[in-house]
Amino acid sequence: MDHIRIKTAEPRDVVHSELHGQFLEHLGCCINGGLWVGEDSDIPNCAGIRSEALKALQRLAPPLVRWPGGCFADTYHWRNGIGPREQRPITYNPVFGTAAIEQNGFGTHEFMDLCEQIGASPWLNVNMMTGSVAEMVEWVEYSNQTQPTTLALERSENGSPKPFNVSFWGIGNESWSGGGNYTAQGYAAEYRKYATAYSGFEQPDFNKFADFKRKTTLIAVGPDGNKPQERVAWTRDLFKALAEYRQPPMDALDLHFYNWNIEHPEDTVTDFSSDDWYRVLAGAMEIEAVIGEQYDLIQEGLAGYPKTEGPFAMTRDCQLIIGEWGNWHRMDPSAPSALWQQSTMRDALTSAITLDIFHRNCDKLRAACVAQTVNVLNALILTDGDATILTPTYHVFDLYRVHRNSRKLPVEVQAKPLDHGVPSVFGFASIKDDIIHVNVINSDDTSCCQVKLEFDQSVDFVSSRALYSDRPTDFNSAQSPDRVKIRDGRPPVGRNGAWVADLPAASVSVYQFKA
Ligand code: AHR
């Protein structure tokens, strides 16, 4: 029998809630026609935001949302998205085959309204490719200025007297590719200007300059996690370039990693073999090594910074963030919009595996945003006309909410290797206020299994919830919105001081115990 041993007496780092972040981009029907239907739509909405999707996000309460892209951000001019909607410029969105008119109805205020309603911190991604430093400075001022400047008054006239207090600012997106095909050195040179011009309106105490820690996070473009050589070179070269002379602030580096599944024509999103199942699960596991590698490269880069001379010396820190992650399957030619994918139990399991990797590496990883929340790639929500469908991936995020801001526990998993080296079970555990939550994933696509859960102290079982379905290819649709749903889990049985849990095939379970 597979084993999971949990050391409750040694709580470790806090699982940052921002590891459950989201990503919304003007791409396909993520925003237009998906989350944003507009106030005049027949689809029930709350100030233009699709009501059912809003309710689902309110329930999930994602801690962080990145917007407006992605590649879209590389050419987005924020001024197009403010002011009376009927007067906003009409632009064209070619991003990833979106090929649609952009009315700019969902802009900064609409995004902030969404964040406020769902309780999320906004992450604004700045246009570094066709935008300018001045444009960024004005967006920061428009968003965060408390003093009655012309831009702050304009924000107020547009309906928001209170500042938005945006604390995450991304400078550019995938600048090594669609964001300008920069070299790391070229990006560093450009980044210096943006980072220096960014103030965030936080005033350091000049007598204690070395202690100054900004509350806002300035995020630089990290590497393409799917290119093993280039990703090392990018991070190394970026830090080397920034190590010359004085260092601009760079609070975080934004790594992107997709679990690509496009090389097997017989593997479609909803119809795949057992071999395809394990291959894609194995693909999701790769991100853990990339996190470790990039974290180490950041430490190496920081260590290579020269010691500052004279007054106003300060220590530079830099955290690792994953701004985009998820499964990227072969495109279905009949998909209703660009990068639209169904989401099956396979996507649920890869999402669970990935989130558990993030939880386990919370000492190295500060935040992560799934790509994307609605109607694009690894989506949590799909829309079909007026129907709003919660995907199996949504349910994984829902199940895993319990880990936010709890402390990870050391866990030892003893499991069998299945095809493509995928372990038969995955486990993760965290503790908060004497409540222990244990995730167990049964990765076997056809067989149920038993797992022994062992603790270093006596614990009481409280409850369990599980996500599973009849087939690994099952998904939710407008016709069957609840085929895949969270169910009450079967209680584990206490045996010889341990707990034996029955796990359905291809399932994700979360058990709650009291210490
Ligand atoms: O998430 C879809 C796209 O993938 C984003 O626009 C881009 O940043 C990445 O290449």
Side-chain angles (χ1 to χ4, degrees):
M1 196 189 302
D2 295 326
H3 259 78
I4 299 183
R5 295 191 182 88
I6 300 140
K7 294 189 181 161
T8 63
E10 295 172 36
R12 301 272 165 91
D13 306 75
V14 171
V15 176
H16 314 291
S17 59
E18 291 85 1
L19 294 173
H20 292 192
Q22 301 292 319
F23 173 33
L24 291 171
E25 179 170 16
H26 293 251
L27 193 165
C29 285
C30 177
I31 293 176
N32 294 324
L35 187 64
W36 176 254
V37 292
E39 284 169 318
D40 300 333
S41 173
D42 291 339
I43 298 174
N45 65 82
C46 178
I49 299 172
R50 183 187 285 263
S51 304
E52 285 303 309
L54 181 63
K55 272 192 235 157
L57 289 175
Q58 282 171 329
R59 222 169 26 243
L60 207 59
L64 173 68
V65 186
R66 178 173 182 248
W67 175 83
C71 289
F72 183 79
D74 292 327
T75 56
Y76 180 65
H77 297 290
W78 67 272
R79 280 203 154 272
N80 290 346
I82 58 166
R85 281 201 202 98
E86 62 290 354
Q87 288 170 24
R88 294 186 192 174
I90 295 170
T91 51
Y92 181 71
N93 181 357
V95 170
F96 276 100
T98 301
I101 291 289
E102 174 59 66
Q103 307 273 0
N104 287 296
F106 187 89
T108 304
H109 288 258
E110 290 77 11
F111 175 59
M112 296 303 163
D113 175 38
L114 170 76
C115 288
E116 196 175 335
Q117 292 204 57
I118 63 179
S121 295
W123 164 349
L124 289 181
N125 221 88
V126 166
N127 173 0
M128 190 196 225
M129 190 166 68
T130 67
S132 66
V133 176
E135 205 175 331
M136 175 209 69
V137 168
E138 287 169 12
W139 204 9
V140 176
E141 177 162 355
Y142 184 87
S143 302
N144 287 0
Q145 180 57 276
T146 51
Q147 302 297 313
T149 63
T150 302
L151 278 163
L153 291 175
E154 188 181 3
R155 181 191 69 228
S156 185
E157 272 157 34
N158 286 333
S160 303
K162 280 200 297 191
F164 297 134
N165 295 323
V166 178
S167 51
F168 292 85
W169 291 90
I171 308 300
N173 172 71
E174 299 195 347
S175 303
W176 27 262
S177 171
N181 280 306
Y182 281 89
T183 60
Q185 294 82 357
Y187 174 78
E190 195 70 6
Y191 176 83
R192 283 177 181 274
K193 288 191 280 179
Y194 280 81
T196 307
Y198 171 87
S199 82
F201 306 108
E202 292 179 61
Q203 191 64 271
D205 175 343
F206 285 98
N207 293 327
K208 294 187 202 150
F209 197 79
D211 300 336
F212 175 57
K213 280 213 166 48
R214 263 205 324 254
K215 289 188 201 84
T216 54
T217 304
L218 204 55
I219 307 165
V221 168
D224 180 347
N226 296 99
K227 300 223 183 309
Q229 288 175 25
E230 188 190 280
R231 71 177 183 234
V232 172
W234 177 271
T235 306
R236 217 168 242 163
D237 291 349
L238 179 62
F239 274 97
K240 257 193 217 153
L242 293 176
E244 288 179 33
Y245 290 87
R246 301 188 191 196
Q247 287 65 58
M250 181 169 76
D251 306 310
L253 196 66
D254 174 16
L255 163 76
H256 290 183
F257 182 93
Y258 283 99
N259 184 20
W260 290 97
N261 178 31
I262 56 175
E263 280 168 7
H264 298 263
E266 80 296 340
D267 175 347
T268 69
V269 185
T270 54
D271 185 12
F272 46 82
S273 66
S274 182
D275 188 65
D276 298 328
W277 165 271
Y278 288 110
R279 181 175 40 73
V280 173
L281 260 57
M285 291 162 59
E286 288 173 18
I287 202 168
E288 187 152 24
V290 184
I291 293 170
E293 171 205 280
Q294 289 295 317
Y295 176 82
D296 288 346
L297 285 167
I298 290 174
Q299 310 321 308
E300 183 188 301
L302 289 170
Y305 277 180
K307 206 168 159 13
T308 324
E309 299 176 298
F312 304 132
M314 65 189 302
T315 320
R316 295 284 184 213
D317 194 12
C318 181
Q319 295 180 312
L320 180 63
I321 284 182
I322 297 181
E324 295 182 23
W325 66 269
N327 288 345
W328 192 313
H329 300 292
R330 278 175 83 81
M331 279 308 118
D332 169 3
S334 65
S337 49
L339 299 192
W340 186 96
Q341 306 181 157
Q342 243 308 345
S343 167
T344 65
M345 280 307 296
R346 180 169 66 170
D347 300 286
L349 263 81
T350 54
S351 298
I353 290 169
T354 306
L355 288 173
D356 276 342
I357 290 172
F358 294 169
H359 297 156
R360 203 163 40 241
N361 288 278
C362 60
D363 52 332
K364 301 192 173 88
L365 187 64
R366 182 65 187 83
C369 299
V370 62
Q372 299 188 1
T373 311
V374 184
N375 285 335
V376 169
L377 300 175
N378 210 75
L380 279 68
I381 296 172
L382 296 175
T383 63
D384 183 356
D386 59 2
T388 300
I389 303 129
L390 304 183
T391 68
T393 298
Y394 176 93
H395 295 307
V396 170
F397 273 86
D398 193 7
L399 272 178
Y400 278 16
R401 285 182 59 183
V402 292
H403 296 291
R404 294 183 195 165
N405 297 319
S406 58
R407 300 184 71 172
K408 75 165 176 174
L409 293 172
V411 162
E412 195 187 300
V413 181
Q414 198 180 303
K416 302 174 284 299
L418 303 177
D419 291 356
H420 291 273
V422 174
S424 47
V425 297
F426 293 81
F428 173 78
S430 73
I431 189 165
K432 187 157 67 178
D433 303 332
D434 285 347
I435 296 291
I436 303 160
H437 287 104
V438 184
N439 301 345
V440 191
I441 300 170
N442 176 10
S443 58
D444 195 307
D445 58 336
T446 49
S447 304
C448 55
C449 73
Q450 282 198 325
V451 176
K452 193 190 270 185
L453 304 176
E454 288 181 345
F455 297 84
D456 55 359
Q457 62 164 308
S458 147
V459 297
D460 295 325
F461 169 72
V462 180
S463 64
S464 76
R465 303 202 306 157
L467 185 72
Y468 56 92
S469 195
D470 295 338
R471 285 170 296 273
T473 49
D474 278 355
F475 56 88
N476 292 335
S477 62
Q479 293 70 39
S480 309
D482 290 319
R483 178 178 287 145
V484 182
K485 62 178 181 195
I486 297 176
R487 302 150 200 262
D488 285 338
R490 210 188 272 180
V493 178
R495 203 180 290 161
N496 303 329
W499 295 90
V500 176
D502 280 316
L503 307 174
S507 63
V508 182
S509 304
V510 180
Y511 297 90
Q512 196 184 57
F513 294 91
K514 175 120 183 55

